[in-house]
Structure formats: C-alpha cells, structure tokens
Amino acid sequence: MSVTKAATLADDLVRLFEAQIEAGILTPGDRYPTERQITEEFLVSRTVVREAFARLAARGLLESRRGAGAFVGNAAHYRAFQVTPEEVEAIEDVLKLLEMRMGFESEMAELAAERRSEAHLAEMRDALAAMDRSEDANGSVLADAAFHAAIARATGNDYFERFTTFLGVRLIPSWKLYLQADDPETHRGYARTINRDHEAIYSAIEDGDGSRARRAAREHMERSLERYRGLSKRS
C-alpha cells in the first residue's frame, strides 16, 4: 500500500468518526471500535487505523487508555451539538431557528454570489427543479435543504458547508407545522411559494450581485418568519 493510499484511507476513517460524533452517535466517553473490528469492517490495514486514531487524538477527539482501548475525548463535547426533530416540533422553536438563520443565510448568499462557479449554479438549478416537481413534504424538504447546501458550497468556505451539512434538514422549518393538509396540490402550491424566494436568490447569485443576493436571502427568511408568526398567533 502506498503512503498516499494509506493517508487517503486514514482521512476517510477520520471523516467517518467525526461525522458520527457530530451526529451524536458517538459521544464523549464512548469506546471506539477496536483496531481489529475496523480492519475487518472497512478492509484497511492496522497502519491506516493507527494513523486515523493519531489524527483524531491530535484533534482532541480520541483518548487512549492503557489496556482499555480508545475512547471519544471530552473535547468532543462541542462537536456533539445538534438540533433534534423533537426540538423543532413547536412553532416557537421554529421561530428561534429562523432567527438564527437570518444572518447566516444572508452572509452565505452574498459570498456565494461573489465566488460561485457554473457547477455550483447547476446544483442550485437542480434543487429548484426538484422543488418544482415535489408533491409531498419530504421531497420538498430535501429539495429545500439541497438548495441551501449548494449555496453553502458556492461560498468556497468549508465552514459554511460543514455547518449547513451538519444541520441538514434541521435548517429547514417543519413544513408539517405549516401544512395541515396532505394532498399533493397543497404541497405543490407551498413549494412554489418557497421556490419563488429561491429563484430570486438564485438570480442574484447567478448575476454575481452580492448585495442583491444578501437582500433576497434576508427577505426569504423574513417571509418565513411572518408565516410562522401567523401560525403562532392562531395557536
């Protein structure tokens, strides 16, 4: 096995365990799988496993205990933040999430307009098309998340991408709170409403107009807040 190949495989393992920590699958104090378990499951050498463990340890995500094995380090606490489905079932919680997104989405859209590539624009168009085709809440949420993830990638700042990917569909307010009916036409109508905002953001990003992209993203968030505040007043 070449050094380059081993390093790449170690990178893959590090990303895997980081993702499990971020998702809360592995929490501080949990034991990592043994070297043998990892080599058998992922068909890699012990050298690769040890390299991955060394990198995790350097990031404070792994602590070795003599005779006991490798454990998730206490420094991983900050990685374990998450927004669970249960935390966004109430309208008040959705409003908090939208308020948090206001500045984040505005800044992200402006940077995307300044840095986007044709490949990024193609990703956004695909997400817009998926939203247009959507006839149910789950499909619309996935398309919605894909659109914002494409904007995050277009910033060229991997922290935006990582944070957006980390929150995933939790970044999108619960459509089920807003939509009481389950019929496809109702979902299509709501999806078109959301997509009009998305198209305004996309147009500004495509034109490379950062200021307009920022305004469009903020207006999108403000309209979402208005819709959910209206629900809150009726409940």
Side-chain angles (χ1 to χ4, degrees), residues 174-181 190 224 227-228 231 234:
S174 174
W175 288 43
K176 292 178 182 178
L177 278 174
Y178 194 82
L179 294 173
Q180 302 303 315
Y190 188 56
S224 293
R227 282 191 291 269
Y228 284 91
L231 279 182
R234 295 200 296 270

Side-chain angles (χ1 to χ4, degrees), residues 166-210:
F166 171 60
L167 287 180
V169 295
R170 304 289 176 261
L171 205 61
I172 310 302
S174 174
W175 288 43
K176 292 178 182 178
L177 278 174
Y178 194 82
L179 294 173
Q180 302 303 315
D182 291 325
D183 62 284
E185 187 54 42
T186 299
H187 286 289
R188 277 196 296 268
Y190 188 56
R192 282 194 292 269
T193 297
I194 299 299
N195 235 18
R196 279 195 293 272
D197 284 358
H198 286 178
E199 286 164 358
I201 298 168
Y202 171 81
S203 175
I205 292 174
E206 182 183 37
D207 291 345
D209 190 332

Side-chain angles (χ1 to χ4, degrees), residues 6 13 16 20 58 90 103 123 127 147 225 233:
L13 283 178
L16 171 68
Q20 290 183 355
E123 279 189 81
F147 180 73
L225 272 168
K233 290 176 183 177

Side-chain angles (χ1 to χ4, degrees), residues 96-115:
K96 291 177 186 176
L97 197 59
L98 286 168
E99 287 175 352
M100 181 273 291
R101 286 181 61 193
M102 186 82 71
F104 177 80
E105 292 282 350
S106 300
E107 184 70 21
M108 191 164 71
E110 181 171 7
L111 290 173
E114 296 169 357
R115 301 172 181 176

Side-chain angles (χ1 to χ4, degrees), residues 91-92 95 225-235:
I91 293 173
E92 292 76 12
L95 291 172
L225 272 168
E226 287 173 8
R227 282 191 291 269
Y228 284 91
R229 282 172 179 154
L231 279 182
S232 180
K233 290 176 183 177
R234 295 200 296 270
S235 61

